Amino acid sequence: MARILTLTLNPALDLAIQCGPLRLGEVNRTESTRLDAGGKGINVARVLAGLGHEVTVSGLLGTDNEAPFVRAFGECGLRDAFIRVPGETRINAKLSEPGGRVTDLNGPGPQIPAHALDSLTERLESMLPGLDAVVISGSLPPNVAPSKLAGLIFMVRARQVPVWLDTSGAALMSGLAARPSGVKPNETELAEWAGHPLDTPEARLQAALRLNAEGVEDVIVSAGAEGVVWAQRGSALMATSPRVPVVSTVGAGDTLLAGMLHGILSGLPRERGLRFATALAAESVRHVGVGEPRTADFEQLQQQTLVRSLSSDSFTGGNPG
Ligand SMILES: Nc1ncnc2c1ncn2[C@@H]1O[C@H](COP(=O)(O)OP(=O)(O)O)[C@@H](O)[C@H]1O
Ligand SMILES: O=P(O)(O)OC[C@H]1O[C@](O)(COP(=O)(O)O)[C@@H](O)[C@@H]1O
């Protein structure tokens, strides 16, 4: 069992909406709706706690609608170290249509008073001793500068605690420059850093190896149904996802990251950890919410997840890897 802290600077209440084919500009009738406490670090924490780790959640939480979060933390056995800020945490709408198309409408989040960030930094610093990993996940509220995120990464690294990052846009650029120990972008997010599309496994591999060479030890590039490339200190594996019916892809990336951390922090052989995490992420898309390893066919999903090693030759007809 590991001790992990996840940091969500911009959590969200996720409004999951199941509907028929969406008709824009018209009245649509929904099939079901569900409101859950979410946000990347909170989802990662849920999965890790379910796998038996001791998890603390922190970040910035609006006081006006905190009740569902507090309830979820209690239900999942998460230690609550969120700094409270005035106002509401954002609500993100997730529209799932038949056929697996999911449309995310993510809000900006509230304005954060400067003293709240100072309190968060102090709290984080006081919690670092004894932690096995820190995960910083998700977007930043509108008035939090990306350089603040880089500052948090530097602080954690200075205490020799591994720090993982999962964010996007300017926050990802700034965060990567601070050299986190690990990162989990999806292909679109990493393409922005690379400056060109990463629409093939080879392109993802090259970008991941480049980041390894720049000092990010673990780079996990997710590519939806196509699966995952994981480059660790210059040596790469690729996992191909099992085919599953898609209900909601929301939380798949968070599940993947949590599954990978579980493998790494539990000392699982690399191939086994990647298979576990990829199968768990596939499990998550079959329903709303994060992946559930206790599901009856999870062993089967793992068997259907193909893992192979990759090298630059893997794509040139040379060594099949
Ligand atoms: N349609 C799918 N079928 C099977 N696995 C999926 C599917 N969509 C996502 N996954 C799994 O979830 C992981 C994360 O999904 P992805 O969409 O790449 O990340 P993010 O949610 O961060 O954008 C993928 O690498 C894959 O393992
Ligand atoms: O902080 P962002 O980038 O707006 O993302 C927030 C959203 O990400 C989620 O954590 C889902 O993330 P993934 O689909 O990448 O796993 C939702 O719960 C939340 O609404």
Side-chain angles (χ1 to χ4, degrees), residues 166 184 186 189 222-225 227-228 241-242 244 246 249 252-253 256 278 281-282 285:
D166 180 9
K184 196 235 62 84
N186 64 30
E189 291 159 351
S222 65
V228 187
S241 299
V244 286
V246 181
T249 52
L256 177 72
T278 308
V285 307

Side-chain angles (χ1 to χ4, degrees), residues 20 56 85 124 139 146 153 174 275 301 304 310 321:
T56 301
V85 294
L124 175 62
S139 59
I153 294 171
S174 183
R275 184 188 305 279
L301 282 178
Q304 291 162 358
L310 284 185

